[in-house]
Each structure stands twice: as structure tokens, then as C-alpha cells.
Amino acid sequence: MSDDTASGKPDSGEEEAPRVFIVDDDEGFRDSMVMLCDSVGLETEAFASAAEFLRRFSPEMRGCLLLDVRMPGMSGLELQQELSRRNSRVPIVFMTGHGDIPMAVAAMKAGAADFLSKPFSHQELLDRIHRALRIGEREEEPRRREAEVREAYERLTPREQDVMHLVVQGAANKVIASRLGISQRTVEIHRAHAMEKMEADSLADLVRSAVVLGL
Amino acid sequence: MSDDTASGKPDSGEEEAPRVFIVDDDEGFRDSMVMLCDSVGLETEAFASAAEFLRRFSPEMRGCLLLDVRMPGMSGLELQQELSRRNSRVPIVFMTGHGDIPMAVAAMKAGAADFLSKPFSHQELLDRIHRALRIGEREEEPRRREAEVREAYERLTPREQDVMHLVVQGAANKVIASRLGISQRTVEIHRAHAMEKMEADSLADLVRSAVVLGL
DNA sequence: GTCGGCCTAGGTAGATCTCCCTAGCCGCGT
DNA sequence: ACGCGGCTAGGGAGATCTACCTAGGCCGAC
């Protein structure tokens, strides 16, 4: 193992640091947001439209998104839907000057971390940003674990997956063998391979991984 | 076993059917809500204050809660906090005549299912109620399972719990024996008892139960 | 004080899992 | 054609788990 020279991707050598993404069509407002964040040491990246942000988007993004609701082109709420479709994990803090309760409730029901109506104080905004960043951090660890487990799982051969399914359901090797119509010996081999590929040191580990995968 | 005659509680022989709980200090409004729900076949229970509802509250309640924000005495938001402390699982639909965005957002962040500002149409309200009821149903099954597992777990003797912990961490019996300073034979006995009491037919089952318990 | 539950433990046997050796067949890409 | 990986399989040794028999000490409840 350890021979990754052939793999296509550089494989995310460096992760991006968490930062505040700002999407607002008002340039002056954008700039003032950036300055505010700078002043407390938060890294920022600003975009003038939802489309511009989407071009930059990747599922590995970390941080939070400060999002204006009303913009030309794609609205903030539409961007939220699109990000949700793309399995984004970035918590969203909405900002709006002309919002109403139904709009705020819809955004929150769709998973927004917060919803601020202008005007708001700098401190108010910074508090919300920090809270959103904490939410993002808290979700990061489980996400990463699931991604790792899923990756390992997908490296299993079809037969190894079959065997793993039955193993984590509590079936004994002989049962698995008869169920799959193969010899007990072969089950043992697939089982051992699955354990190794899933980096499971015990059956308990394997079951935990299966639970993460929702099996 | 099977001798439950000594246990104090009749043990929830019949579960309550899901219903709509209405908490509002305005009697006229309460009545109209009750009638509206009646008209579509929803069972209701109405209360004039948060305190009155709390006296009726039990964690086994099923359905949803239609809650006015502004009331004399304990407010709707305060009731929400109190219910959260009491591990309520009843989805809350807030109603208010004088709400603003921060209030709605705070309620949603605290876990409310919905937030409606008056006036609203009957259909609007019924839609929200049905949605909240669906949310409650969806959470019911996992809740019940966890409660059952936890109950079984707490029937384990301390030693059986010790052994179970190590078993679901993947330790072999001999390891557990030396870790606990007892013989391998004794570990086997505690292990078998734990499996039986947890109604686990396989190690996989036991690990799943442990995952539910957050072990 | 007796009864029952809990924790402890030995022996034996059988089922089960794990790991070592071997090896044939098939499909895919070079 | 050749190699490689995936799937299949047998035999055997040793570790591990499970199930059956037994039994003693401790402690709280009736």
C-alpha cells in the first residue's frame, strides 16, 4: 500500500481554512462586510451573485455563508435550495432588508442557520457568524467520518459487499454461505477482505461502519 | 420472570392517539381552532394557558402543539423552552398576531416546527398542522426504539454493563477478563446475560443497540 | 434465618471464527 | 499472450465463542 502515485487526483493535500463567504449584489455592503470580518481576523471571500458563488462552490468548502435574500438573478432562497441539492454543509446566515416572517420561516425550515433583517449592529452580525461557524465545525467531524467510511465501502468488491451486509445483520458464516450459494470458506475470505478494507479490527467496528452507512 | 404484579405502574396499557393541542388565552380563538380541527376529523385538546398545558403534559404525548406566542403568565416561547427541558417530542406550531422576524427566527432555532403570523387562512393552518403531525410521526419510531433499548440496558446488572461496554468496543472475552480482573468464564456468563436481556440475537444486534445508546 | 439475585468460577463439548497453505476459472487491459 | 484482480474452493491448526453441568460467597428482602 501507500503507493498513491498512480491516483488521478492530488487528493486535497491542503484543506481550505474555514472562512466567511459573502454573497450580496450591493458592492458597498459587500465591502463593509469584508472589512468587518477582516477586523476580527475572519477570512472572507465575496461574490456579487449566486451564480458567481456557485462557480466557486465545492462540497469541501468550510465556513459559513452570509447570504442576501433579494438579488438580481438567482435569489438567496433559490441558492439555498441549490446548495442543499449539492449536499452543501455550509451553514447559511440570511440577511435581508425587506423580509417578512413567512420568508424567514421558510428559510429556517429549509435549514438556514440564521436569518437577520437589516439593519443590524456589527456585533449582532459577528455573533451570528460565529455561531454559524461553530455549527459548521460541529458537523464537520461526522461528515468526514461518513465520507471515509463510504469511500472504503465502495472499494469493496460486489461480493465483499454482499457478505458484509449479511455479516452486519448478524448472520453466521454458514448461513451466509448457504444464502449466497457459496462455500463457507469463500465467505471467510470475503469477510476477511471486507474487514481489512474497512479498517475494522473487530466485528463491532464493522457494524459501527455499517450503521454510519445506514445499512 | 413475568411477575410484574409488584411493579407500581399499570405501564401505559393504551397509548393516546395523536391529537392537536391548542394553547391560547383567547377563548374565542381557541374555540374556532377546535371547530376547525373537528371539521377535518382531528382530535383536539384546548388549554387557556401554558401552565394549564404543563399540568396535562406527559412525555408520551403524541400529536402537535398549536401555541400562541403572547399570553399572560408564561409565554409561548417560555413554554417551548420548558418542554424542551422536559424532553418533549411534540412539534410546535407557533401563532402570533404581533410577531417580528427575530421572534420567529428565535422560535425556529429553538426547534419549532413552524411559525405562523395572524391572520392566516384555515387552509394555511391545516396544512401546517398536518405537516407538524407528520414530523411528529416520523420521530416517533426512533424515539420509541431508543426508549426500549435504554430500558433493557438499565435492567442489566452493573457487571453486565461493564462487560457489554467492552464487548461492543470489540474486545475479546479474554481481554475483557483481564481488563476486569475476572475469569474468562465469568465474562462469558455476563455476556450471555447481556445478550439475552438486550434481546440481541447476535453480536451485531448488540452493537446496534449500543450505538442507539450512544456508547 | 431463609430466599433470591448478583458475582464469581471450574470442566467439557461443540460450534464458530480466523489464519495458514494450496489452486482453478474468468474477464479485462496491455 | 500475459498478467492482474475478482470469485471460487479444499484442508488443517488454533483461537474464540457458546452452551451445558456444577457450586460457593455476599447481600438485601421478607
PDB file of all heavy atoms in Angstrom, chain B residues 109-127:
ATOM      1  N   LYS B 109     -35.085  28.495  15.645  1.00  0.00           N
ATOM      2  CA  LYS B 109     -33.783  27.996  16.092  1.00  0.00           C
ATOM      3  C   LYS B 109     -33.932  27.115  17.322  1.00  0.00           C
ATOM      4  O   LYS B 109     -33.142  26.199  17.540  1.00  0.00           O
ATOM      5  CB  LYS B 109     -32.838  29.171  16.388  1.00  0.00           C
ATOM      6  CG  LYS B 109     -32.299  29.829  15.126  1.00  0.00           C
ATOM      7  CD  LYS B 109     -30.999  30.556  15.371  1.00  0.00           C
ATOM      8  CE  LYS B 109     -31.245  31.890  16.051  1.00  0.00           C
ATOM      9  NZ  LYS B 109     -30.010  32.729  16.060  1.00  0.00           N
ATOM     10  N   ALA B 110     -34.951  27.413  18.117  1.00  0.00           N
ATOM     11  CA  ALA B 110     -35.178  26.604  19.319  1.00  0.00           C
ATOM     12  C   ALA B 110     -35.926  25.320  18.999  1.00  0.00           C
ATOM     13  O   ALA B 110     -36.288  24.572  19.900  1.00  0.00           O
ATOM     14  CB  ALA B 110     -35.940  27.413  20.362  1.00  0.00           C
ATOM     15  N   GLY B 111     -36.178  25.089  17.713  1.00  0.00           N
ATOM     16  CA  GLY B 111     -36.731  23.797  17.323  1.00  0.00           C
ATOM     17  C   GLY B 111     -38.193  23.785  16.947  1.00  0.00           C
ATOM     18  O   GLY B 111     -38.768  22.703  16.771  1.00  0.00           O
ATOM     19  N   ALA B 112     -38.816  24.957  16.829  1.00  0.00           N
ATOM     20  CA  ALA B 112     -40.222  24.976  16.440  1.00  0.00           C
ATOM     21  C   ALA B 112     -40.390  24.353  15.060  1.00  0.00           C
ATOM     22  O   ALA B 112     -39.498  24.426  14.219  1.00  0.00           O
ATOM     23  CB  ALA B 112     -40.758  26.405  16.435  1.00  0.00           C
ATOM     24  N   ALA B 113     -41.553  23.750  14.837  1.00  0.00           N
ATOM     25  CA  ALA B 113     -41.825  23.154  13.533  1.00  0.00           C
ATOM     26  C   ALA B 113     -42.276  24.217  12.544  1.00  0.00           C
ATOM     27  O   ALA B 113     -42.026  24.118  11.350  1.00  0.00           O
ATOM     28  CB  ALA B 113     -42.898  22.074  13.650  1.00  0.00           C
ATOM     29  N   ASP B 114     -42.945  25.262  13.067  1.00  0.00           N
ATOM     30  CA  ASP B 114     -43.463  26.289  12.175  1.00  0.00           C
ATOM     31  C   ASP B 114     -43.782  27.545  12.975  1.00  0.00           C
ATOM     32  O   ASP B 114     -43.820  27.516  14.207  1.00  0.00           O
ATOM     33  CB  ASP B 114     -44.727  25.785  11.471  1.00  0.00           C
ATOM     34  CG  ASP B 114     -44.740  26.182  10.009  1.00  0.00           C
ATOM     35  OD1 ASP B 114     -44.353  27.332   9.710  1.00  0.00           O
ATOM     36  OD2 ASP B 114     -45.136  25.344   9.197  1.00  0.00           O
ATOM     37  N   PHE B 115     -44.010  28.617  12.243  1.00  0.00           N
ATOM     38  CA  PHE B 115     -44.308  29.890  12.895  1.00  0.00           C
ATOM     39  C   PHE B 115     -45.238  30.667  11.983  1.00  0.00           C
ATOM     40  O   PHE B 115     -44.835  31.084  10.896  1.00  0.00           O
ATOM     41  CB  PHE B 115     -43.004  30.671  13.129  1.00  0.00           C
ATOM     42  CG  PHE B 115     -43.165  31.849  14.046  1.00  0.00           C
ATOM     43  CD1 PHE B 115     -42.754  31.782  15.382  1.00  0.00           C
ATOM     44  CD2 PHE B 115     -43.709  33.043  13.590  1.00  0.00           C
ATOM     45  CE1 PHE B 115     -42.888  32.867  16.230  1.00  0.00           C
ATOM     46  CE2 PHE B 115     -43.858  34.131  14.426  1.00  0.00           C
ATOM     47  CZ  PHE B 115     -43.449  34.049  15.759  1.00  0.00           C
ATOM     48  N   LEU B 116     -46.469  30.849  12.425  1.00  0.00           N
ATOM     49  CA  LEU B 116     -47.491  31.482  11.594  1.00  0.00           C
ATOM     50  C   LEU B 116     -47.874  32.832  12.175  1.00  0.00           C
ATOM     51  O   LEU B 116     -48.108  32.941  13.383  1.00  0.00           O
ATOM     52  CB  LEU B 116     -48.748  30.611  11.595  1.00  0.00           C
ATOM     53  CG  LEU B 116     -48.959  29.633  10.467  1.00  0.00           C
ATOM     54  CD1 LEU B 116     -50.216  28.810  10.740  1.00  0.00           C
ATOM     55  CD2 LEU B 116     -49.073  30.373   9.153  1.00  0.00           C
ATOM     56  N   SER B 117     -47.972  33.840  11.311  1.00  0.00           N
ATOM     57  CA  SER B 117     -48.464  35.105  11.841  1.00  0.00           C
ATOM     58  C   SER B 117     -49.903  35.316  11.388  1.00  0.00           C
ATOM     59  O   SER B 117     -50.268  35.050  10.253  1.00  0.00           O
ATOM     60  CB  SER B 117     -47.568  36.264  11.412  1.00  0.00           C
ATOM     61  OG  SER B 117     -47.192  36.138  10.077  1.00  0.00           O
ATOM     62  N   LYS B 118     -50.722  35.773  12.332  1.00  0.00           N
ATOM     63  CA  LYS B 118     -52.110  36.042  12.026  1.00  0.00           C
ATOM     64  C   LYS B 118     -52.190  37.302  11.179  1.00  0.00           C
ATOM     65  O   LYS B 118     -51.351  38.191  11.342  1.00  0.00           O
ATOM     66  CB  LYS B 118     -52.910  36.255  13.316  1.00  0.00           C
ATOM     67  CG  LYS B 118     -52.868  35.074  14.270  1.00  0.00           C
ATOM     68  CD  LYS B 118     -53.592  35.419  15.567  1.00  0.00           C
ATOM     69  CE  LYS B 118     -53.370  34.338  16.625  1.00  0.00           C
ATOM     70  NZ  LYS B 118     -53.922  34.690  17.933  1.00  0.00           N
ATOM     71  N   PRO B 119     -53.148  37.446  10.329  1.00  0.00           N
ATOM     72  CA  PRO B 119     -54.163  36.425  10.080  1.00  0.00           C
ATOM     73  C   PRO B 119     -53.668  35.386   9.087  1.00  0.00           C
ATOM     74  O   PRO B 119     -52.801  35.656   8.285  1.00  0.00           O
ATOM     75  CB  PRO B 119     -55.302  37.249   9.466  1.00  0.00           C
ATOM     76  CG  PRO B 119     -54.602  38.338   8.729  1.00  0.00           C
ATOM     77  CD  PRO B 119     -53.354  38.641   9.510  1.00  0.00           C
ATOM     78  N   PHE B 120     -54.265  34.217   9.170  1.00  0.00           N
ATOM     79  CA  PHE B 120     -53.925  33.183   8.189  1.00  0.00           C
ATOM     80  C   PHE B 120     -55.209  32.461   7.824  1.00  0.00           C
ATOM     81  O   PHE B 120     -56.187  32.468   8.586  1.00  0.00           O
ATOM     82  CB  PHE B 120     -52.913  32.200   8.768  1.00  0.00           C
ATOM     83  CG  PHE B 120     -53.186  31.823  10.190  1.00  0.00           C
ATOM     84  CD1 PHE B 120     -54.191  30.920  10.489  1.00  0.00           C
ATOM     85  CD2 PHE B 120     -52.431  32.371  11.231  1.00  0.00           C
ATOM     86  CE1 PHE B 120     -54.441  30.567  11.802  1.00  0.00           C
ATOM     87  CE2 PHE B 120     -52.683  32.016  12.540  1.00  0.00           C
ATOM     88  CZ  PHE B 120     -53.695  31.117  12.839  1.00  0.00           C
ATOM     89  N   SER B 121     -55.219  31.845   6.680  1.00  0.00           N
ATOM     90  CA  SER B 121     -56.422  31.144   6.248  1.00  0.00           C
ATOM     91  C   SER B 121     -56.532  29.810   6.963  1.00  0.00           C
ATOM     92  O   SER B 121     -55.530  29.273   7.460  1.00  0.00           O
ATOM     93  CB  SER B 121     -56.368  30.901   4.740  1.00  0.00           C
ATOM     94  OG  SER B 121     -55.421  29.901   4.449  1.00  0.00           O
ATOM     95  N   HIS B 122     -57.745  29.286   6.998  1.00  0.00           N
ATOM     96  CA  HIS B 122     -57.928  27.976   7.615  1.00  0.00           C
ATOM     97  C   HIS B 122     -57.089  26.922   6.921  1.00  0.00           C
ATOM     98  O   HIS B 122     -56.477  26.070   7.555  1.00  0.00           O
ATOM     99  CB  HIS B 122     -59.411  27.593   7.559  1.00  0.00           C
ATOM    100  CG  HIS B 122     -60.219  28.335   8.571  1.00  0.00           C
ATOM    101  ND1 HIS B 122     -61.592  28.215   8.685  1.00  0.00           N
ATOM    102  CD2 HIS B 122     -59.854  29.222   9.529  1.00  0.00           C
ATOM    103  CE1 HIS B 122     -62.019  28.989   9.665  1.00  0.00           C
ATOM    104  NE2 HIS B 122     -60.992  29.607  10.177  1.00  0.00           N
ATOM    105  N   GLN B 123     -57.075  27.012   5.596  1.00  0.00           N
ATOM    106  CA  GLN B 123     -56.330  26.006   4.850  1.00  0.00           C
ATOM    107  C   GLN B 123     -54.843  26.084   5.197  1.00  0.00           C
ATOM    108  O   GLN B 123     -54.176  25.064   5.383  1.00  0.00           O
ATOM    109  CB  GLN B 123     -56.542  26.204   3.346  1.00  0.00           C
ATOM    110  CG  GLN B 123     -56.039  25.033   2.536  1.00  0.00           C
ATOM    111  CD  GLN B 123     -56.614  23.719   3.054  1.00  0.00           C
ATOM    112  OE1 GLN B 123     -57.818  23.571   3.206  1.00  0.00           O
ATOM    113  NE2 GLN B 123     -55.735  22.769   3.374  1.00  0.00           N
ATOM    114  N   GLU B 124     -54.358  27.313   5.265  1.00  0.00           N
ATOM    115  CA  GLU B 124     -52.961  27.538   5.643  1.00  0.00           C
ATOM    116  C   GLU B 124     -52.646  26.827   6.965  1.00  0.00           C
ATOM    117  O   GLU B 124     -51.695  26.045   7.076  1.00  0.00           O
ATOM    118  CB  GLU B 124     -52.734  29.061   5.827  1.00  0.00           C
ATOM    119  CG  GLU B 124     -51.335  29.459   6.188  1.00  0.00           C
ATOM    120  CD  GLU B 124     -50.473  29.660   4.964  1.00  0.00           C
ATOM    121  OE1 GLU B 124     -51.023  29.633   3.845  1.00  0.00           O
ATOM    122  OE2 GLU B 124     -49.249  29.823   5.137  1.00  0.00           O
ATOM    123  N   LEU B 125     -53.473  27.083   7.948  1.00  0.00           N
ATOM    124  CA  LEU B 125     -53.233  26.482   9.259  1.00  0.00           C
ATOM    125  C   LEU B 125     -53.294  24.960   9.203  1.00  0.00           C
ATOM    126  O   LEU B 125     -52.436  24.267   9.758  1.00  0.00           O
ATOM    127  CB  LEU B 125     -54.261  27.009  10.265  1.00  0.00           C
ATOM    128  CG  LEU B 125     -54.119  26.424  11.664  1.00  0.00           C
ATOM    129  CD1 LEU B 125     -52.762  26.772  12.251  1.00  0.00           C
ATOM    130  CD2 LEU B 125     -55.230  26.903  12.574  1.00  0.00           C
ATOM    131  N   LEU B 126     -54.304  24.451   8.505  1.00  0.00           N
ATOM    132  CA  LEU B 126     -54.432  22.989   8.441  1.00  0.00           C
ATOM    133  C   LEU B 126     -53.220  22.354   7.775  1.00  0.00           C
ATOM    134  O   LEU B 126     -52.744  21.298   8.194  1.00  0.00           O
ATOM    135  CB  LEU B 126     -55.720  22.612   7.688  1.00  0.00           C
ATOM    136  CG  LEU B 126     -57.014  22.880   8.458  1.00  0.00           C
ATOM    137  CD1 LEU B 126     -58.228  22.554   7.598  1.00  0.00           C
ATOM    138  CD2 LEU B 126     -57.051  22.073   9.748  1.00  0.00           C
ATOM    139  N   ASP B 127     -52.722  23.021   6.736  1.00  0.00           N
ATOM    140  CA  ASP B 127     -51.522  22.495   6.078  1.00  0.00           C
ATOM    141  C   ASP B 127     -50.369  22.401   7.071  1.00  0.00           C
ATOM    142  O   ASP B 127     -49.656  21.390   7.127  1.00  0.00           O
ATOM    143  CB  ASP B 127     -51.118  23.404   4.910  1.00  0.00           C
ATOM    144  CG  ASP B 127     -52.073  23.261   3.728  1.00  0.00           C
ATOM    145  OD1 ASP B 127     -52.890  22.319   3.740  1.00  0.00           O
ATOM    146  OD2 ASP B 127     -52.010  24.106   2.807  1.00  0.00           O
TER     147      ASP B 127
END
